[in-house]
Amino acid sequence: MYSRRVCVCEGSQPVHRCSGIRMGDTVDIGQKGAMAASPGLKNLCLNTHKAGMQGLDTDKINDIIKRASEGSRFYQYKQKHQQQLNEKLEVMKNEASSFTEEQIKKATKQMDQLVQELEAERDLSRTIVHVDMDMFYAAVEMRDDPSLRDKPMAVGSTGMLSTSNYAARRYGVRAAMPGFIGKKLCPELIIVPPDFTKYKAASREVQEIFSQYDPGFSPMSLDEAYLDITEFLQKNSALYVDEDDGMNHEQLSQVVVKEMRGKIEAKTQLTASAGIAANTRLAKVCSDLNKPNGQYYLPQDRDHILQFIASLSIRKVCGIGNVSEQHLQALGVTQCGQLMEKRGLLRLLFSETSYYNFLSIVLGLGHSTLSAWTERDRKSISQETTFKGTSDRPTLFKLSADLCQELADEMQRKDIVGKVLTLKIKTTDFKVKTRAQTLSEATRCPQVMAAGIKKILLLEMNAATDQPLSLRLLGVRMSSLAASEVGQRRQATLTQMFSQAAKPKAASTTSTTLPHTEQQPHQSERGTSRENVETRSDNNMESSALVKEKISPCRKETPSIEHFLSKPKLAEVAECTRIEVYECSVCEEVINVESLEAFNQHLDTCLELHSSPPVRDSKTDNNCINRDKTVTESQKNEDGDPHCKETSGGKIQSDIFPVDNCNSNHGPSTSSLKQDLLCPVCEQRSFRDVTSLNTHMDECLNKAAISELLQEVPDRPLKTDTAKNQTSKKRRIRSSQWVRPGEAMVTVWLVSVVR
DNA sequence: GGGGGCGAGTAGT
DNA sequence: TTCCAACTACTCGCCCCC
Ligand SMILES: Cc1cn([C@H]2C[C@H](O)[C@@H](COP(=O)(O)OP(=O)(O)OP(=O)(O)O)O2)c(=O)[nH]c1=O
Ligand SMILES: [Mg+2]
């Protein structure tokens, strides 16, 4: 049972199933833990359960935190959501009290049945170790700068701390706390900016040691991993036993794990803590018990386990966070043992996935076999940035384009492509929204991504009618990932990419055939001879047995990115890598720019200028767009484009964006403009520089196209809160995290298409 | 009706 | 003086489409 790759946490979110509208995410400042004081806002208080945080003056600390937070937008946001959560909890409690004895009895019986099934699958034969480095980032920094030793310090910035050392924890300073509050709690706190390169290097060293004990170990993050040392113990027990002194399992495990921790420290000067138990869930709990620089052994024996679990705080269990804790607490459940007592009620109140999980927790079950994570298990990749709130459109566009570029770079390094593009925004009042778009082809082309993101962003901007959309965060995510392969490097064009993915590609009789330039002369199909010695840093998806994103036949016939960036020399670059000379296929100008970023800027402008309602012509997937000549000064190359039929002043055809057309509601930016940029929306005003035009157009679009936009935006009428989820739909456990007894584990791979 | 996409929410580091 | 991250994974409800 549970024979599957270890998940981040082997649980599901037990949220009361009638809680229709989900609560705001009530991230508590001190995550795991008790927050007695501060009435009203449980989620803004410090928690003291984390290692190194016991015995603090929590009242004083909470007071300082509260004072520093009160009145801020952040605080208001938290308050609002705690309030909503409270309402939900009330609803749940009412429902709970409405059940009859009979109902509960029946549900309890059904749960007992499930208990039987689960018990039957209990596996106590494995020895699982969870190793977690102590104050990891901080420890690395302290090692590299001894002057930091013994001083309270944290890694992060004024805005946010990633972690703190134990000296700082004495003041209540901890991970996920903003630095400025940390400073208030501890004025002498030293804040060191993070250096991920160092942490990665340290992590690699540690992992090398893990592999000595379990070559199949399962890293969960830079600083922690699960190991199955069962085989190691069997094979090497002789090495640890003094004569035939005899050593029981506990002693042997303890010695071996201690040795491993010793090796880690010797090699890296960093300390680790460990938990030893029969499965991952238990091992994880255990590794926290003797932190820092300690370990805990939980006998692999049912009675011990049940006893251990019974008094354990539910919040210590991986997967039970702030919100779940409050739900359970509202039902009188604070310790795991109570999950058994209330099992009938829990079954009636929560989803099948949830109550299944609860039982599994209280029985002390968990995964007992591991499998390593590789890059090809990745589901998504993203990049986001927080900034001082702004509603300035050019600024936001620029930021989002930069994010796309960074993300594209990262995807190139990992050699992956993605098919679903998602924009994430956070308003200045901390409300988070995401908007996704499925592309017609997987890509990692920054231009394509930037164009798509800009489009979505524009929709959101224009949808905000009362006040301009004021944001504090922008993020870009790609999902539905696949390994890119040789041909993958010829990316589809914007046109292709954003053309209605679901649409039955009208015969795809693309008229333009691509000169099939060979590309990626090297670095491509070398999957074979490679298996690097490096333990398991599968840094990309290649060589994976996994489905690779194939190129549909029609794609080859459509203009590829080389066409898009079709300067002869560029063919060999093939990727959207950094180059000096670009040809913009929108305006068809050759542009000399110092960076891709500059080119992006140009491209954005072009796109914005040229997009118009999707007068779709299935025969030409080509962007045939007229040219304007204002954007750059270096425009020597004049030769016409063989693919474009309507070059000057012609129709602006934009298949660029799929379902919804986001931009102007009409027409060409006439070729009449020589030096000036005429607004294609109103065709009234012209500008000398792009920025001014952009700004104007934004306003222009707002007025001119808004009604249209609102209709076409796939944007649901923003989730009517009325959406009662009284759904009578039968809930069932879907494949993924959870396996029911006897069921085979289903690995869900979201890889798209193989033909 | 069921499956898939999407968006919100929760959780972890 | 102000100031509350970045990244990943998973679940669940809703809605659309076949
Ligand atoms: C909890 C947390 C950790 N991190 C980073 C910094 C941590 O050093 C690293 C590992 O996380 P943790 O293992 O949770 O924390 P830690 O190693 O710093 O301290 P402990 O001794 O309690 O284990 O991950 C974040 O960036 N954000 C977070 O919210
Ligand atoms: Mg740690």
Side-chain angles (χ1 to χ4, degrees):
Chain A
M1 78 183 294
Y2 298 112
S3 53
R4 192 173 170 253
R5 175 164 93 60
V6 182
C7 310
V8 174
C9 53
E10 35 194 311
S12 62
Q13 308 140 230
V15 175
H16 177 223
R17 69 177 177 193
C18 292
S19 49
I21 313 131
R22 303 306 214 77
M23 309 303 75
D25 97 285
T26 40
V27 177
D28 44 347
I29 278 184
Q31 305 139 325
K32 296 264 172 191
M35 28 198 124
S38 191
L41 245 196
K42 299 191 191 170
N43 57 350
L44 262 173
C45 299
L46 179 82
N47 130 325
T48 55
H49 276 190
K50 180 122 188 163
M53 314 259 336
Q54 287 84 10
L56 306 186
D57 184 348
T58 50
D59 283 353
K60 189 174 160 205
I61 292 170
N62 281 329
D63 192 54
I64 295 176
I65 294 175
K66 196 171 159 212
R67 215 176 314 221
S69 308
E70 242 166 3
S72 68
R73 284 183 194 254
F74 179 78
Y75 191 79
Q76 289 168 6
Y77 168 79
K78 287 293 169 193
Q79 269 183 317
K80 197 173 106 204
H81 286 90
Q82 181 60 51
Q83 204 178 321
Q84 288 178 339
L85 177 54
N86 290 340
E87 286 164 21
K88 283 295 142 193
L89 295 177
E90 278 310 310
V91 171
M92 186 187 67
K93 281 193 275 188
N94 286 337
E95 196 187 348
S97 57
S98 75
F99 295 123
T100 64
E101 283 290 309
E102 203 52 40
Q103 283 176 299
I104 293 180
K105 206 176 255 177
K106 187 180 166 201
T108 305
K109 250 186 141 174
Q110 291 170 318
M111 289 293 264
D112 290 341
Q113 176 63 35
L114 194 45
V115 168
Q116 296 301 308
E117 295 174 33
L118 288 168
E119 270 296 351
E121 308 270 336
R122 186 189 290 275
D123 178 3
L124 297 173
S125 68
R126 313 302 300 182
T127 304
I128 307 296
V129 183
H130 180 248
V131 186
D132 187 321
M133 304 298 293
D134 303 322
M135 47 175 178
F136 187 50
Y137 296 177
V140 172
E141 298 301 338
M142 288 162 73
R143 175 194 66 183
D144 296 348
D145 179 358
S147 77
L148 295 173
R149 268 191 201 288
D150 307 322
K151 291 184 190 159
M153 61 85 66
V155 175
S157 65
T158 319
M160 185 53 60
L161 304 179
S162 288
T163 193
S164 57
N165 67 4
Y166 282 74
R169 291 182 196 191
R170 301 311 304 160
Y171 294 84
V173 177
R174 49 160 304 139
M177 172 181 281
F180 68 91
I181 290 182
K183 280 277 193 189
K184 292 205 164 116
L185 290 170
C186 170
E188 62 270 36
L189 179 72
I190 301 169
I191 297 178
V192 180
D195 180 349
F196 292 99
T197 315
K198 289 204 294 193
Y199 313 145
K200 278 180 195 155
S203 182
R204 262 197 301 275
E205 290 188 272
V206 173
Q207 291 186 0
E208 197 279 318
I209 292 169
F210 291 159
S211 67
Q212 295 171 24
Y213 293 85
D214 174 17
F217 76 94
S218 180
M220 303 305 291
S221 70
L222 284 185
D223 97 313
E224 66 182 84
Y226 291 103
L227 285 71
D228 180 346
I229 58 168
T230 313
E231 268 73 45
F232 184 92
L233 294 181
Q234 277 164 9
K235 287 186 190 142
N236 301 286
S237 63
L239 302 176
Y240 297 89
V241 180
D242 280 342
E243 295 301 311
D244 54 0
D245 237 7
M247 230 181 185
N248 62 25
H249 182 266
E250 164 162 11
Q251 292 167 324
L252 179 61
S253 310
Q254 294 272 27
V255 168
V256 166
V257 171
K258 210 174 175 90
E259 177 195 74
M260 175 169 61
R261 292 177 39 237
K263 282 190 186 180
I264 292 172
E265 185 169 7
K267 183 172 181 178
T268 65
Q269 301 164 57
L270 303 169
T271 63
S273 298
I276 310 159
N279 62 54
T280 57
R281 192 196 322 259
L282 296 171
K284 168 111 176 131
V285 172
C286 291
S287 71
D288 205 45
L289 296 180
N290 283 323
K291 231 176 199 315
N293 201 13
Q295 61 190 56
Y296 185 96
Y297 173 89
L298 178 66
Q300 283 151 244
D301 150 76
R302 183 173 177 274
D303 290 343
H304 275 102
I305 293 172
L306 292 185
Q307 195 190 343
F308 175 84
I309 281 288
S311 59
L312 186 71
S313 159
I314 50 164
R315 191 63 150 85
K316 291 276 186 188
V317 177
C318 191
I320 307 291
N322 174 43
V323 172
S324 302
E325 181 188 33
Q326 292 191 53
H327 275 94
L328 290 171
Q329 204 166 32
L331 301 172
V333 176
T334 56
Q335 295 181 332
C336 294
Q338 294 164 319
L339 291 170
M340 186 58 88
E341 296 164 24
K342 305 261 165 138
R343 60 192 184 284
L345 186 57
L346 295 174
R347 186 186 176 100
L348 292 169
L349 283 172
F350 292 86
S351 73
E352 185 175 4
T353 313
S354 294
Y355 66 66
Y356 179 85
N357 188 33
F358 292 149
L359 273 195
S360 171
I361 289 171
V362 71
L363 292 174
L365 301 171
H367 297 297
S368 50
T369 58
L370 318 177
S371 94
W373 190 91
T374 68
E375 189 54 46
R376 62 180 193 270
D377 293 313
R378 176 184 292 278
K379 309 274 185 304
S380 71
I381 184 165
S382 66
Q383 199 102 130
E384 67 189 54
T385 180
T386 291
F387 41 86
K388 198 159 138 16
T390 181
S391 52
D392 182 59
R393 294 184 173 205
T395 304
L396 293 170
F397 290 146
K398 172 76 165 68
L399 281 167
S400 62
D402 290 349
L403 285 173
C404 289
Q405 183 63 59
E406 286 169 46
L407 184 57
D409 290 346
E410 190 58 32
M411 291 176 78
Q412 183 179 350
R413 281 191 282 276
K414 298 191 183 307
D415 212 4
I416 52 178
V417 289
K419 198 163 155 59
V420 175
L421 177 65
T422 305
L423 169 74
K424 175 181 174 184
I425 58 179
K426 191 192 282 177
T427 57
T428 40
D429 45 5
F430 289 89
K431 206 169 152 40
V432 174
K433 267 191 204 171
T434 60
R435 291 290 178 266
Q437 162 136 44
T438 301
L439 311 177
S440 60
E441 299 284 349
T443 187
R444 60 154 166 268
C445 174
Q447 285 84 28
V448 172
M449 290 159 59
I453 286 296
K454 183 168 187 175
K455 192 207 72 172
I456 305 171
L457 183 53
L458 204 49
L459 285 175
E460 284 304 314
M461 289 170 163
N462 291 338
T465 45
D466 351 336
Q467 328 166 352
L469 188 66
S470 178
L471 302 181
R472 73 183 329 272
L473 173 144
L474 277 171
V476 181
R477 179 169 74 235
M478 285 291 256
S479 50
S480 283
L481 304 179
S484 54
E485 57 174 29
V486 214
Q488 186 63 55
R489 276 127 201 181
R490 43 175 71 260
Q491 305 281 340
T493 61
L494 287 173
T495 303
Q496 260 271 300
M497 223 41 93
F498 291 94
S499 68
Q500 178 78 302
K503 236 173 199 167
K505 296 207 170 62
S508 77
T509 37
T510 353
S511 56
T512 47
T513 313
L514 187 72
H516 213 81
T517 49
E518 91 299 313
Q519 52 245 133
Q520 294 305 109
H522 245 311
Q523 72 143 226
S524 43
E525 216 53 344
R526 45 147 188 204
T528 42
S529 68
R530 212 225 11 224
E531 262 345 281
N532 45 7
V533 202
E534 238 182 27
T535 42
R536 76 188 62 218
S537 55
D538 298 9
N539 212 17
N540 59 40
M541 283 189 160
E542 269 187 49
S543 83
S544 97
L546 188 80
V547 200
K548 299 202 175 189
E549 176 73 8
K550 299 285 188 188
I551 306 154
S552 56
C554 67
R555 165 119 72 85
K556 295 217 175 82
E557 295 161 10
T558 65
S560 71
I561 194 69
E562 295 86 275
H563 172 64
F564 215 34
L565 310 174
S566 64
K567 207 40 190 169
K569 290 180 198 155
L570 306 185
E572 64 204 24
V573 180
E575 288 287 10
C576 307
T577 48
R578 304 199 173 276
I579 35 185
E580 313 273 304
V581 187
Y582 301 81
E583 178 175 342
C584 172
S585 75
V586 181
C587 68
E588 298 172 89
E589 292 298 337
V590 175
I591 305 154
N592 288 310
V593 284
E594 325 79 78
S595 68
L596 191 52
E597 195 176 286
F599 176 70
N600 274 337
Q601 194 69 39
H602 164 87
L603 196 68
D604 278 346
T605 311
C606 274
L607 284 168
E608 187 155 271
L609 280 169
H610 293 300
S611 42
S612 69
V615 184
R616 203 154 268 170
D617 179 359
S618 51
K619 283 189 294 188
T620 41
D621 251 340
N622 217 356
N623 315 356
C624 296
I625 315 208
N626 63 337
R627 46 185 79 212
D628 72 72
K629 332 215 160 238
T630 39
V631 191
T632 65
E633 52 268 40
S634 61
Q635 51 218 354
K636 0 221 141 165
N637 189 335
E638 276 321 329
D639 48 10
D641 181 274
H643 296 103
C644 189
K645 325 290 184 217
E646 318 162 42
T647 16
S648 58
K651 305 264 170 300
I652 302 176
Q653 179 209 346
S654 164
D655 300 286
I656 295 172
F657 309 119
V659 224
D660 40 45
N661 54 324
C662 63
N663 279 5
S664 63
N665 48 0
H666 66 283
S669 65
T670 57
S671 57
S672 63
L673 43 127
K674 298 160 214 146
Q675 289 301 321
D676 288 350
L677 297 158
L678 179 66
C679 171
V681 181
C682 63
E683 292 183 313
Q684 305 256 325
R685 298 197 51 191
S686 51
F687 299 84
R688 297 239 111 182
D689 67 297
V690 178
T691 317
S692 313
L693 174 66
N694 266 338
T695 313
H696 162 80
M697 266 186 59
D698 289 338
E699 290 166 18
C700 215
L701 282 166
N702 236 337
K703 294 183 211 136
I706 192 118
S707 53
E708 240 183 279
L709 284 173
L710 286 177
Q711 280 187 331
E712 294 175 299
V713 181
D715 204 299
R716 352 277 193 210
L718 233 35
K719 57 133 199 239
T720 46
D721 307 339
T722 51
K724 302 279 185 227
N725 52 332
Q726 298 287 39
T727 23
S728 55
K729 245 187 221 164
K730 187 63 195 162
R731 259 171 259 284
R732 57 195 182 84
I733 298 181
R734 308 215 213 133
S735 63
S736 65
Q737 290 290 70
W738 285 102
V739 211
R740 313 192 56 175
E743 272 181 24
M745 204 27 130
V746 187
T747 306
V748 187
W749 240 105
L750 296 176
V751 178
S752 47
V753 253
V754 211
R755 35 179 177 144

